[in-house]
C-alpha cells in the first residue's frame, strides 16, 4: 500500500511538471486549479478508472467528464502519459491547428476527452445523460464528473443535482475541486458557497469530504463512493490551488496566467525536489 | 388523427403520434421534456414507453446538456418544449453541448410564433430561427402543416450526423398537403409554378402564400410559391433558379424579419445572384417588434401575416422590378 501511494505521488508530481511546462510554453492557460487537482485525478486515473487508451471508444469504459474545463492541462497530461496521444501534442497546447484546444473539445476529437467544456455549469447535466444512458443499456460503467467549487454558483449545477437524485444515478460520482478560489478572488468573498457539503446533502447526494492531498483519504473516499447504491455521490476534495509550486499555492491570481522564465525554472525545480522526496520516502 | 386538405390540424399532435410510431421501431429513441409533456403531446410517448421518457421538470438548461449526454452515449433523443424555452433560455447549452459537439439531438419546439395567442409576448417566440440558424452544425426545419410534420418527424429517426431544430406551433394549421406529400431534407419545394414573382414561405405562411397566389392570379399576376421547410441548409439551387425566372421575391414567416427566413433568402440572393440586375425582395414577418396577447387569428391579422399582406408585398416587389 505504502509503495503504491508513493508511486502515485511521484506520478502526480510528474504530471504537475507537464502542467507547468504546457502553460509556460503556451504562454497562457490555467495552472492553479490543475495543480490542485493533480492528486485526486492521479488517484482516480491510475487506481480506479477503467479505460483503455488503445480503445478510447470502448463502450464499457468509465467516463471522465471534466466540467471545469479550464483545468484541462492536468487532464491532457494524464491522457498523454496514458498514451491516448503523443506527448509532443502537450507542447502545442492552445496553438492554431493543435489537437489540444484551450478547453477540452470533442469537436477536435481529442482522444480520451468525453465532453467539450469551458462554459461552466454544463458538465454535470451532460454526465447525468451519460449515466442515464448507462442505466438504460444496463452497462456497468461509472461516470466521474469533475466540477469546481465556483461552478456551484451556476444554477444549472443544482438542476443537475436535482436530476441525479431524482433518477437515483448511483453510477455517477462527482468530484468537487474545493480550492476556495475563483478568478476574482476567494469564493466566500465573491459569492459565498458554505455550507457547501450541507447543500449537496440536502439535495440527496452521498457526501465524502476529504483532504485532496491525503492519499489514504482519497483512496478510501473513492472505494466508498464506488460501493454506494441508490443515490449519486460527491467527493468534496479540499485542494490547494497551485499545490506543489510555492509561489502559486493558495493565490487566486494563479487561477490563470503563465509563469515567467524564472518562475518556470523555480516551479520545475520545486516539483522535481518534491518528487524525489517521495522516492526517498521523505515528506509529502 | 385524420388529416383533410383545408381543415385545421395540430402539428404537435402529429409530432406526438409519430414519436410513438418511432418508439416502436427503435428502442434507442428517448424523449425528454421540461414539465410540458401534455402541451408538447410527448405524453403519448410517455404512456407507451415510460422507461424511455424523461420529464426533467423546469430545468431547460439541464435538459439540453443531458440530452447531449444521451446522444453521445448512443441514444436518439427527442427534446421537446416551447420554442422560447428551447431556443431562448438554454441557448448557450444548445450551443456548447449540442451544436459544438454535434450531438445528434432532435429538438422539436412547439408554441413558436404569434399563434401562441393569448399568453402574449413572453411566450411568442419570434427569434428562434435566428438563434438556431446561426449555430454551426445545427439544421433548422419548419414544417408547413400536420402532414409535413409527420414526414419530418419520421425523417428525424435517422438524422444521426448532427443536431436539428424543428419548429412547430400551438395553433392548428390548415392542411396544405395531401397524403402523397414527401418531405426531402434540404430541398425547398415549388408548390405552385409562376412567372412574375416568387413567394418563399415556411410554417403557417405556406398556406397564406398559396392563398396570396390566388389573390394575385385574380389580378392577372403569376406568382410562384416555394415551401422552404428546410431553412438550414438552405436549398440554394431552388431559391436561385426560381428568382432567376421570376425576377422578384417575397418572403413570408411567422418570425422576426431579422434573422429568419427573410434574412436567409436575402443572404442567398445577395451572395449567389447570377444576374446583372438585382431582383427586389420584400419580407413579410414581424418587423422588429414583440408580440402581444390576442387570439391567433387576430394577431395574424394585426401583424399583417395574411394572404392580403403577402399579395401587397408581391405587388410592391413587382413595382420595384419594373422600375429597375
Amino acid at each position: 500500500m505504502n509503495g503504491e501511494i508513493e508511486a502515485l505521488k511521484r506520478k502526480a508530481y510528474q504530471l504537475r511538471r507537464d502542467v507547468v511546462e504546457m502553460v509556460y510554453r503556451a504562454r497562457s492557460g490555467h495552472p492553479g486549479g490543475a495543480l490542485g487537482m493533480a492528486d485526486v485525478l492521479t488517484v482516480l486515473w491510475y487506481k480506479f478508472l477503467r479505460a483503455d487508451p488503445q480503445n478510447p471508444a470502448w463502450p464499457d469504459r468509465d467516463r471522465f467528464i471534466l466540467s471545469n474545463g479550464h483545468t484541462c492541462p492536468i487532464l491532457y497530461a494524464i491522457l498523454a502519459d496514458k498514451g491516448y496521444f503523443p506527448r509532443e501534442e502537450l507542447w502545442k497546447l492552445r496553438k492554431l491547428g493543435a489537437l489540444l484546444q484551450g478547453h477540452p473539445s470533442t469537436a477536435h476529437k481529442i482522444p480520451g476527452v468525453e465532453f467539450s467544456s469551458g462554459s461552466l455549469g454544463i458538465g454535470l447535466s451532460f454526465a447525468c445523460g451519460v449515466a442515464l444512458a448507462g442505466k438504460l443499456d444496463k452497462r456497468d460503467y461509472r461516470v466521474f464528473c469533475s466540477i469546481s467549487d465556483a461552478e456551484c454558483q451556476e444554477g444549472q449545477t443544482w438542476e443537475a443535482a436535482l436530476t441525479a437524485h431524482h433518477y437515483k444515478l448511483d453510477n455517477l460520482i462527482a468530484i468537487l475541486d474545493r480550492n476556495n478560489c475563483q478568478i476574482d478572488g476567494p469564493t466566500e468573498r465573491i459569492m459565498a458557497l458554505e455550507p457547501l457539503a450541507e447543500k449537496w446533502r440536502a439535495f440527496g447526494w452521498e457526501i465524502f469530504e476529504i483532504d485532496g492531498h491525503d492519499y489514504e483519504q482519497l483512496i478510501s473516499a473513492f472505494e466508498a463512493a464506488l460501493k454506494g447504491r441508490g443515490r449519486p455521490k460527491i467527493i468534496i476534495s479540499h485542494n490547494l490551488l497551485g499545490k506543489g509550486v510555492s509561489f502559486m499555492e493558495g493565490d487566486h491570481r494563479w487561477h490563470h496566467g503563465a509563469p515567467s522564465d524564472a518562475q518556470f525554472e523555480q516551479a520545475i525545480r520545486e516539483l522535481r525536489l518534491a518528487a524525489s522526496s517521495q522516492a526517498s520516502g521523505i515528506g509529502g | 388523427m385524420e388529416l383533410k386538405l383545408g381543415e385545421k390540424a395540430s402539428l404537435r399532435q402529429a409530432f406526438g403520434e409519430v414519436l410513438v410510431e418511432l418508439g416502436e421501431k427503435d428502442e434507442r429513441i428517448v424523449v425528454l421534456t421540461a414539465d410540458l409533456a401534455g402541451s408538447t403531446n410527448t405524453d403519448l410517448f410517455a404512456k407507451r414507453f415510460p422507461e424511455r421518457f424523461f420529464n426533467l421538470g423546469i430545468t431547460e438548461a439541464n435538459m439540453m446538456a443531458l440530452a447531449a449526454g444521451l446522444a453521445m452515449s448512443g441514444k436518439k433523443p427527442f427534446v421537446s418544449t416551447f420554442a422560447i424555452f428551447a431556443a431562448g433560455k438554454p441557448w448557450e447549452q444548445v450551443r456548447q453541448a449540442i451544436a459544438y459537439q454535434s450531438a445528434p439531438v432532435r429538438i422539436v419546439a412547439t408554441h413558436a410564433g404569434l399563434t401562441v395567442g393569448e399568453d402574449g409576448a413572453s411566450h411568442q417566440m419570434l427569434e428562434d430561427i435566428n438563434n438556431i440558424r446561426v449555430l454551426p452544425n445545427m439544421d433548422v426545419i419548419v414544417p408547413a402543416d400536420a402532414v409535413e410534420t409527420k414526414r419530418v418527424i419520421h425523417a428525424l429517426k435517422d438524422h444521426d450526423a448532427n443536431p436539428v431544430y424543428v419548429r412547430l406551433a400551438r395553433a392548428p394549421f390548415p392542411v396544405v398537403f395531401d397524403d402523397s406529400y414527401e418531405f426531402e431534407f434540404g430541398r425547398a419545394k415549388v408548390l405552385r409554378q409562376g412567372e412574375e414573382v416568387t413567394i418563399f414561405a415556411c410554417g403557417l405562411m405556406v398556406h397564406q402564400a398559396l392563398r396570396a397566389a390566388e389573390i394575385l392570379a385574380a389580378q392577372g399576376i403569376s406568382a410562384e410559391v416555394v415551401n422552404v421547410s428546410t431553412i438550414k441548409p438552405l436549398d440554394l439551387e431552388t431559391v436561385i433558379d426560381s428568382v432567376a425566372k421570376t425576377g422578384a421575391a417575397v418572403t413570408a414567416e411567422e418570425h422576426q424579419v431579422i434573422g429568419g427566413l427573410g434574412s436567409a433568402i436575402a443572404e442567398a440572393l445577395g451572395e449567389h445572384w447570377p444576374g446583372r440586375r438585382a431582383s427586389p425582395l420584400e419580407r413579410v414577418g414581424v418587423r422588429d417588434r414583440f408580440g402581444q396577447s390576442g387570439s391567433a387569428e387576430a394577431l395574424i391579422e394585426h401583424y399583417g401575416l395574411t394572404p392580403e399582406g403577402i399579395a401587397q408585398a408581391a405587388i410592391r416587389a413587382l413595382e420595384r422590378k419594373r422600375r429597375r
Side-chain angles (χ1 to χ4, degrees):
Chain A
M1 184 74 171
N2 283 342
E4 183 192 28
I5 286 179
E6 279 164 24
L8 287 169
K9 285 183 178 175
R10 281 197 301 277
K11 179 60 74 181
Y13 280 110
Q14 172 205 320
L15 296 168
R16 283 186 170 100
R17 290 200 299 276
D18 285 348
V19 166
V20 170
E21 185 163 356
M22 287 162 76
V23 176
Y24 169 70
R25 292 207 200 192
R27 299 187 184 284
S28 72
H30 301 77
L35 293 171
M37 287 163 56
D39 291 319
V40 61
L41 293 190
T42 298
V43 171
L44 172 62
W45 273 85
Y46 292 83
K47 186 165 172 64
F48 293 101
L49 198 85
R50 298 184 301 214
D52 179 2
Q54 303 311 313
N55 184 12
W58 176 37
D60 289 315
R61 72 192 181 282
D62 286 343
R63 270 62 163 181
F64 176 73
I65 290 154
L66 186 70
S67 187
N68 47 338
H70 57 281
T71 63
C72 60
I74 184 65
L75 175 61
Y76 293 160
I78 291 169
L79 293 174
D81 185 58
K82 290 272 183 184
Y84 282 85
F85 46 76
R87 266 180 71 75
E88 297 77 64
E89 297 292 344
L90 296 179
W91 319 132
K92 298 179 213 156
L93 171 69
R94 289 176 163 253
K95 304 238 187 315
L96 182 65
L99 175 68
L100 301 183
Q101 298 293 298
H103 290 84
S105 170
T106 57
H108 289 260
K109 299 189 169 36
I110 304 173
V113 167
E114 301 277 0
F115 173 62
S116 302
S117 45
S119 171
L120 295 174
I122 301 179
L124 194 58
S125 296
F126 182 85
C128 286
V130 177
L132 261 184
K135 293 269 183 193
L136 284 170
D137 292 340
K138 298 189 169 47
R139 291 189 186 275
D140 67 353
Y141 64 74
R142 295 85 55 100
V143 181
F144 297 90
C145 180
S146 168
I147 63 175
S148 68
D149 47 5
E151 256 190 308
C152 298
Q153 293 162 356
E154 292 272 12
Q156 190 183 348
T157 297
W158 301 104
E159 295 183 3
L162 288 172
T163 304
H165 174 253
H166 183 80
Y167 288 105
K168 300 184 173 62
L169 298 178
D170 53 11
N171 52 349
L172 174 63
I173 298 175
I175 301 159
L176 197 161
D177 176 27
R178 184 64 171 127
N179 65 15
N180 303 294
C181 292
Q182 58 191 112
I183 296 182
D184 277 350
T187 57
E188 299 314 286
R189 199 182 79 209
I190 304 299
M191 182 54 71
L193 293 164
E194 292 298 337
L196 190 53
E198 281 179 38
K199 289 183 174 74
W200 285 96
R201 195 171 286 117
F203 274 72
W205 289 53
E206 189 174 1
I207 314 293
F208 301 90
E209 194 162 16
I210 55 158
D211 174 347
H213 309 299
D214 181 319
Y215 278 64
E216 284 172 4
Q217 287 188 34
L218 281 167
I219 289 167
S220 50
F222 277 112
E223 282 173 348
L226 286 166
K227 280 192 196 114
R229 291 287 172 267
R231 54 188 177 145
K233 279 81 53 119
I234 184 164
I235 297 173
I236 299 176
S237 181
H238 288 269
N239 298 334
L240 179 61
L241 181 123
K243 168 78 175 171
V245 177
S246 59
F247 58 89
M248 292 187 185
E249 285 187 352
D251 186 343
H252 70 83
R253 289 171 298 178
W254 283 101
H255 170 275
H256 63 276
S260 66
D261 292 353
Q263 287 172 326
F264 172 66
E265 299 293 334
Q266 184 187 342
I268 294 296
R269 202 163 49 239
E270 289 181 11
L271 291 168
R272 279 195 194 286
L273 198 64
S276 59
S277 318
Q278 293 308 326
S280 58
I282 309 162
Chain B
M1 181 174 54
E2 204 183 332
L3 301 176
K4 288 185 186 156
L5 270 177
E7 290 186 9
K8 287 187 176 180
S10 163
L11 279 62
R12 49 196 168 117
Q13 192 183 337
F15 160 56
E17 289 177 1
V18 174
L19 258 191
V20 175
E21 290 177 41
L22 298 186
E24 304 279 2
K25 287 182 198 158
D26 193 334
E27 65 175 23
R28 290 170 295 180
I29 288 174
V30 294
V31 175
L32 291 72
T33 189
D35 199 32
L36 288 169
S39 301
T40 57
N41 287 132
T42 51
D43 55 349
L44 300 173
F45 187 93
K47 281 188 199 106
R48 180 71 186 81
F49 306 104
E51 72 290 351
R52 284 192 267 144
F53 176 77
F54 303 99
N55 191 331
L56 291 162
I58 310 168
T59 72
E60 292 87 1
N62 176 57
M63 174 168 69
M64 291 300 176
L66 191 149
L70 286 164
M72 291 173 72
S73 304
K75 299 297 170 195
K76 299 184 176 212
F78 282 75
V79 177
S80 191
T81 182
F82 292 179
I84 184 67
F85 308 129
K89 185 176 284 192
W91 181 84
E92 205 249 351
Q93 284 76 9
V94 172
R95 177 185 183 274
Q96 179 75 20
I98 296 177
Y100 180 42
Q101 302 200 101
S102 201
V105 175
R106 291 82 166 155
I107 302 172
V108 182
T110 66
H111 294 64
L114 290 169
T115 47
V116 164
E118 290 79 358
D119 278 348
S122 65
H123 283 56
Q124 291 161 350
M125 185 44 151
L126 299 169
E127 299 85 21
D128 54 330
I129 298 173
N130 172 74
N131 287 6
I132 302 297
R133 188 169 77 91
V134 73
L135 294 172
N137 296 332
M138 293 293 309
D139 297 328
V140 178
I141 303 174
V142 185
D145 71 354
V147 173
E148 189 168 39
T149 299
K150 284 188 162 195
R151 302 292 184 274
V152 167
I153 302 302
H154 272 291
L156 293 196
K157 182 170 86 68
D158 300 314
H159 198 96
D160 296 323
N162 59 303
V164 56
Y165 178 86
V166 179
R167 182 189 214 231
L168 305 180
R170 169 179 175 267
F173 288 177
V175 174
V176 293
F177 299 120
D178 65 31
D179 203 45
S180 67
Y181 177 80
E182 284 180 27
F183 167 77
E184 201 181 338
F185 173 72
R187 299 300 292 188
K189 289 227 165 137
V190 178
L191 302 182
R192 178 185 174 122
Q193 302 271 353
E195 300 301 325
E196 294 171 87
V197 58
T198 306
I199 305 170
F200 296 104
C202 63
L204 173 64
M205 301 307 281
V206 171
H207 171 262
Q208 309 292 70
L210 288 167
R211 284 180 50 199
E214 288 168 15
I215 293 170
L216 291 166
Q219 299 176 32
I221 298 167
S222 168
E224 180 147 302
V225 177
V226 180
N227 174 24
V228 190
S229 45
T230 307
I231 293 187
K232 189 185 172 192
L234 189 67
D235 181 355
L236 281 174
E237 190 185 351
T238 301
V239 169
I240 298 297
D241 284 355
S242 179
V243 183
K245 176 177 72 174
T246 62
V250 172
T251 58
E253 63 196 308
E254 196 190 341
H255 185 275
Q256 302 287 356
V257 291
I258 299 172
L261 173 66
S263 290
I265 298 291
E267 290 157 15
L269 296 179
E271 282 192 334
H272 300 280
W273 181 244
R276 282 197 301 170
R277 289 191 302 176
S279 291
L281 168 69
E282 294 282 331
R283 293 174 300 161
V284 175
V286 178
R287 303 198 72 86
D288 204 15
R289 286 193 287 166
F290 283 104
Q292 58 186 303
S293 289
S295 71
E297 294 76 15
L299 288 162
I300 289 297
E301 192 77 31
H302 181 79
Y303 286 84
L305 306 185
T306 54
E308 294 74 19
I310 297 170
Q312 285 161 14
I315 290 167
R316 287 198 302 276
L318 284 171
E319 285 169 357
R320 287 172 58 199
K321 182 166 80 168
R322 287 190 198 103
R323 287 202 305 269
R324 289 195 299 194

